Amino acid sequence: MTDAETKSLLLEAIRADVRSRVDTIVDRLEAEVDCLELLDDVEHAMRGALIEVTEVLAEGIAAHLRETRR
């Protein structure tokens, strides 16, 4: 396997990890929202999920940049 192939596989693994983690957050949010009745509680849950997704995306971008610079 060449360096380019290895890098490509690593970048795809990073993207897959980010997608999986975001999907997990969204699934958890959907389940949580189904149990909530107050709009404020729904907004709070959504805000928390958005913060988590932002952190996951930032980690994914940092990992992607780190791998592309190697």
Side-chain angles (χ1 to χ4, degrees):
M1 184 175 298
T2 67
D3 287 344
E5 291 170 327
T6 301
K7 183 181 284 191
S8 178
L9 289 172
L10 282 170
L11 294 175
E12 181 53 38
I14 292 167
R15 286 189 290 273
D17 177 62
V18 169
R19 281 191 300 270
S20 174
R21 293 168 65 193
V22 169
D23 286 346
T24 298
I25 294 166
V26 170
D27 290 345
R28 190 180 68 239
L29 175 63
E30 288 175 343
E32 188 177 342
V33 166
D34 285 343
C35 300
L36 298 174
E37 295 180 14
L38 298 175
L39 182 59
D40 285 344
D41 292 339
V42 171
E43 288 178 4
H44 180 68
M46 291 176 64
R47 192 171 294 114
L50 181 57
I51 289 168
E52 286 184 73
V53 167
T54 301
E55 290 171 352
V56 167
L57 291 175
E59 291 170 7
I61 291 167
H64 191 278
L65 288 172
R66 189 172 47 250
E67 291 305 322
T68 56
R69 292 181 177 171
R70 282 185 189 212

